[in-house]
Amino acid sequence: MAAPMPTPTASAIPRTIQCTRRDTRLKYGIAMNCEIRSRAVAVSSSLSANGVRWDLSDLEPDAEQARREWDELLARARDFAERRRGTVGSSGPQGLRDLLDELDQLAQDVARVHFYATAREHTDATDPETNDLATLARDRGADLESMLLFVELEWLALDDVEAGALLEAAELEPYVHRLRVAREEKPYILSEGEEQALNARRPAISAWESLHGRELATLTVEFDRGDGPEPHTIDRLLSYVHHHDRELRLAALDVLYEMLESVADVQAACYDAIVGDRLSLDRLRGIPDTMWPTNQRNELDGAVVEAMMAAVEAHYALGRRWFVRKAEVLGLDRLQLADQYAPVGSDRRVEWTEAVGMVEDSLSDFEPRLGEIFRTCLERGHVDAEPRPGKVGGAYCNSVSKTVLPYVLLNYTDQLRDVVTLAHEFGHAVHGTLALERQTYRSYHTGIALAEVPSTFAQLLAVERLIDQEEDPSTRVMLLADRAEGAMASIFRQTMMARFEARAYAARSEGKALTRDRLAEMWIEENVRYYADSIELPEGYRLGWSYIPHFIHVRFYTYAYAFAHLAAFSLLARYREDPERFAPGYLEFLASGASRSPHDLLAPLGVDLRDPQTWALAFAEFDRCIGEAEEGVAAL
């Protein structure tokens, strides 16, 4: 077979995109025929988080050492496979425990070296050494997975009687839940040779994912927000939808959609390739439902997920009610999309040091240990908050291993809602830290739906604190409105995205290509189901699907946000009822990781996922938030 063609790095491809605007004089925006270049530039010297960047030395000292470690990891994996192959079902409970402990340590070392490459790729996408290292990580990761695949396959090959006897052994208690869940995949697993062949083509799919992210991360535009042109990333343009100046909001979205025009065909091609690959694998394995892989990883029954999403859609009118009221407050006949998150009341700038203090206090007041984790991560340089070209948008947390504290990435733009993002990501960080202290590496990480519950709960705690302590009545109204709108974004918009994905997968399974126009049509139709006539959607918003990374990395990821926000609403209501009684049980929930099912983990806290009334109670809390926002704007 021919050797694969090397993938050019972003920095090797000079890219200039022409961007035009209508011939009118604007207060904000860009000049006609401006150039958008993908070279690395400073975003703004005025942002307070400038210089807040990751220190990756807890992962690796440099790329050369990372390359050496990949070689060492491959050697360890080969040795492990030679010694352990054929012993999963024959070595007894203690032998299997020893095998899993050794595999657990190997997996942590792989995660550390792999995240070093990912972290560099996500913060400096145009650096040639970084791109080479990311390519190596994808290739070596696939090699290692193929070498170690036999463990899972041998476990699944055991008959139910043999497996059941091992699951009853005390020696395997730390792993028993994950082992039990893994056997749910047994009907869909292929032979070892077939599974290895499928793993071997994974780097090619990862390259599509990297291309999608790199196209967005390297895209900048000279945009004038009123005080002179400055280079803007997508994230910085999106931050203006929260600005008080309507003309700036409209101009920023106008420019954003023009930027997306230049990459929409590439983004559609990436998504088409990734969805097509996933559907091909589903057919090979005999998986009947495109949502099953995500539901299974989340340990949620499909009926529970569908009941939750149907309940969300049944409450879309809550969002529309607020949008109509907000239009009245803003003096508009109807909101445009750029007005959806326009501040009601008075916003204020929050510099990075103030945000750090707010989040630390919020976590420490709930439990001092949580504040300690937050402070230590900051002191060790495990937070990257500076927005800059070449850095991925959005925010995330990676809990690397039992010996390395989590790393948090966000793009801090000095707004109050950025404080909420910081709290959200550290909800993940404290969850990961406490779970890794007690659980094995294999058993600490929950599915994405449950993983979003602690982060959303931490976010809600921070917002409640901000509201309670805010002295300015107008700013307090802004916080009330922002809390309601944040919930709408997490619950309503993320469910809408999941429905969009379902349509995309259905179309692709029928042999229809996911072109930019087909995706745009489905995107607008699903948005209209949510917004109806409460918000006017601009023509450019047809490309709103093209910058959503969740579609690329994990199918149907977005419903996890709706699930988590509704679950967190229920938890917050119970916390308010009796804080002292709630806190110990919640800490136990965090430390339990993925040692039990989501149902069993949430039940002691009063959330029954199998009871449809659970969603009704959560929406009552949601309605309370919207009602408080409505009362707030009425008092302005």
Side-chain angles (χ1 to χ4, degrees):
M1 295 178 63
M5 181 179 295
T7 303
T9 64
S11 59
I13 309 173
R15 183 156 64 101
T16 301
I17 304 164
Q18 296 298 320
C19 182
T20 60
R21 291 183 54 82
R22 57 186 179 275
D23 189 14
T24 56
R25 183 176 179 82
L26 292 176
K27 178 181 177 184
Y28 304 105
I30 53 178
M32 292 182 63
N33 299 317
C34 76
E35 292 184 339
I36 306 173
R37 298 187 183 275
S38 60
R39 59 175 180 258
V41 290
V43 173
S44 172
S45 60
S46 63
L47 295 176
S48 65
N50 280 349
V52 181
R53 298 189 177 197
W54 274 335
D55 177 351
L56 300 180
S57 60
D58 282 346
L59 302 172
E60 292 289 354
D62 52 42
E64 183 178 348
Q65 176 61 25
R67 289 178 176 277
R68 285 196 295 268
E69 282 218 49
W70 278 120
D71 292 337
E72 294 169 5
L73 289 167
L74 285 170
R76 285 171 59 188
R78 290 191 192 98
D79 175 67
F80 176 88
E82 290 172 2
R83 289 184 290 105
R84 300 291 191 177
R85 185 181 294 276
T87 68
V88 170
S90 62
S91 58
Q94 187 58 53
L96 181 54
R97 171 64 185 268
D98 293 342
L99 180 154
L100 292 174
D101 284 346
E102 184 178 356
L103 183 61
D104 219 48
Q105 184 58 57
L106 180 58
Q108 290 182 75
D109 291 339
V110 171
R112 174 177 50 78
V113 182
H114 198 287
F115 183 64
Y116 175 74
T118 300
R120 288 189 52 165
E121 184 180 29
H122 286 179
T123 53
D124 193 5
T126 61
D127 176 59
E129 181 183 67
T130 292
N131 280 282
D132 288 346
L133 191 62
T135 299
L136 178 69
R138 287 192 292 270
D139 292 345
R140 294 296 179 265
D143 292 342
L144 284 162
E145 190 168 351
S146 291
M147 286 183 197
L148 303 173
L149 188 61
F150 74 91
V151 176
E152 180 182 7
L153 296 179
E154 288 184 21
W155 170 246
L156 295 180
L158 296 178
D159 64 38
D160 290 343
V161 174
E162 291 176 296
L166 287 169
L167 290 171
E168 294 298 322
E171 295 91 334
L172 293 173
E173 190 277 332
Y175 296 100
V176 69
H177 180 68
R178 301 310 306 161
L179 290 170
R180 196 183 305 277
V181 171
R183 288 187 65 82
E184 294 176 4
E185 298 185 38
K186 184 173 183 176
Y188 310 115
I189 295 297
L190 306 176
S191 70
E192 183 172 359
E194 290 170 315
E195 292 289 351
Q196 288 177 335
L198 292 176
N199 279 335
R201 26 71 50 210
R202 185 164 297 176
I205 299 303
S206 296
W208 284 108
E209 296 174 355
S210 293
L211 175 61
H212 184 279
R214 195 158 56 236
E215 285 290 291
L216 298 178
T218 59
L219 202 58
T220 62
V221 62
E222 290 285 332
F223 179 73
D224 186 353
R225 63 176 184 176
D227 51 2
E230 286 187 351
H232 279 62
T233 61
I234 288 176
D235 260 44
R236 194 172 180 204
L237 283 173
L238 284 171
S239 74
Y240 293 134
V241 302
H242 302 283
H243 200 278
H244 65 87
D245 191 309
R246 189 170 194 243
E247 193 173 340
L248 175 58
R249 297 196 304 269
L250 292 167
L253 283 192
D254 196 10
V255 170
L256 170 66
Y257 298 139
E258 290 192 35
M259 290 173 71
L260 294 176
E261 282 283 350
S262 67
V263 297
D265 285 325
V266 174
Q267 304 305 79
C270 291
Y271 191 47
D272 181 76
I274 290 167
V275 172
D277 179 74
R278 290 170 181 165
L279 290 171
S280 294
L281 292 182
D282 287 354
R283 287 192 294 272
L284 283 172
R285 298 185 185 283
I287 295 174
D289 177 10
T290 56
M291 289 187 73
W292 184 87
T294 301
N295 292 343
Q296 194 272 342
R297 284 193 294 271
N298 285 332
E299 297 184 54
L300 293 174
D301 186 86
V304 169
V305 175
E306 179 56 35
M308 183 269 296
M309 292 177 65
V312 170
E313 291 173 312
H315 287 84
Y316 275 170
L318 275 178
R320 297 174 198 146
R321 185 184 91 194
W322 168 252
F323 295 139
V324 170
R325 181 71 183 96
K326 185 171 184 176
E328 296 172 357
V329 173
L330 296 178
L332 302 171
D333 292 333
R334 181 166 64 142
L335 297 182
Q336 291 196 37
L337 188 66
D339 304 316
Q340 180 176 198
Y341 302 115
V344 177
S346 301
D347 199 355
R348 67 179 179 88
R349 177 173 178 168
V350 182
E351 296 209 353
W352 174 248
T353 53
E354 183 183 0
V356 167
M358 288 177 173
V359 175
E360 183 174 10
D361 288 346
S362 175
L363 292 170
S364 296
D365 285 355
F366 184 86
E367 165 57 45
R369 175 78 173 103
L370 305 188
E372 177 189 327
I373 294 168
F374 176 80
R375 175 54 59 182
T376 306
C377 285
L378 283 167
E379 291 172 349
R380 294 201 64 82
H382 286 210
V383 178
D384 194 304
E386 177 190 65
R388 58 190 182 276
K391 177 181 175 181
V392 295
Y396 69 80
C397 170
N398 187 295
S399 295
V400 183
S401 74
K402 293 174 75 69
T403 58
V404 178
L405 282 170
Y407 277 80
V408 167
L409 177 145
L410 69 157
N411 288 271
Y412 192 85
T413 57
D414 295 344
Q415 300 182 77
L416 270 168
R417 62 192 44 84
D418 293 329
V419 181
V420 178
T421 299
L422 182 63
H424 179 101
E425 296 309 327
F426 268 95
H428 285 303
V430 298
H431 185 202
T433 301
L434 294 179
L436 281 166
E437 286 178 353
R438 186 187 298 182
Q439 308 301 326
T440 66
Y441 186 71
R442 183 185 182 93
S443 300
Y444 97 91
H445 198 281
T446 69
I448 53 180
L450 193 67
E452 291 296 335
V453 173
S455 57
T456 307
F457 183 74
Q459 165 188 324
L460 293 177
L461 282 180
V463 171
E464 294 263 316
R465 183 183 184 87
L466 289 171
I467 291 171
D468 290 344
Q469 295 189 351
E470 182 55 54
E471 296 179 356
D472 184 274
S474 184
T475 302
R476 188 173 184 276
V477 169
M478 188 278 293
L479 288 167
L480 289 168
D482 203 54
R483 178 180 61 179
E485 291 174 351
M488 292 176 204
S490 293
I491 296 170
F492 294 146
R493 191 164 185 268
Q494 302 298 329
T495 297
M496 177 275 294
M497 289 184 187
R499 294 302 196 199
F500 162 78
E501 274 195 274
R503 291 186 60 181
Y505 277 80
R508 190 64 173 79
S509 67
E510 294 169 0
K512 298 176 182 176
L514 298 181
T515 63
R516 60 182 283 169
D517 290 338
R518 179 166 284 130
L519 290 168
E521 181 179 355
M522 291 186 290
W523 176 255
I524 289 298
E525 288 175 355
E526 288 304 316
N527 273 268
V528 168
R529 287 187 63 210
Y530 167 31
Y531 294 115
D533 60 356
S534 65
I535 286 184
E536 181 180 346
L537 303 177
E539 178 65 22
Y541 185 58
R542 293 173 61 82
L543 299 181
W545 53 269
S546 65
Y547 64 88
I548 309 297
H550 305 77
F551 299 155
I552 299 299
H553 296 290
V554 180
R555 66 173 107 177
F556 301 106
Y557 189 120
T558 61
Y559 83 68
Y561 291 117
F563 172 92
H565 215 115
L566 291 171
F569 265 149
S570 296
L571 294 175
L572 185 64
R574 286 157 176 77
Y575 172 60
R576 281 202 306 269
E577 291 171 0
D578 191 345
E580 291 186 5
R581 183 179 179 184
F582 179 88
Y586 186 75
L587 292 175
E588 177 65 23
F589 161 70
L590 294 180
S592 296
S595 60
R596 300 192 299 279
S597 71
H599 177 271
D600 291 341
L601 288 167
L602 288 171
L605 297 172
V607 177
D608 183 354
L609 299 180
R610 296 168 188 166
D611 183 359
Q613 190 64 18
T614 293
W615 310 122
L617 293 172
F619 274 105
E621 181 73 11
F622 191 2
D623 195 9
R624 180 188 70 83
C625 288
I626 294 176
E628 288 185 0
E630 290 171 329
E631 292 172 5
V633 297
L636 282 176

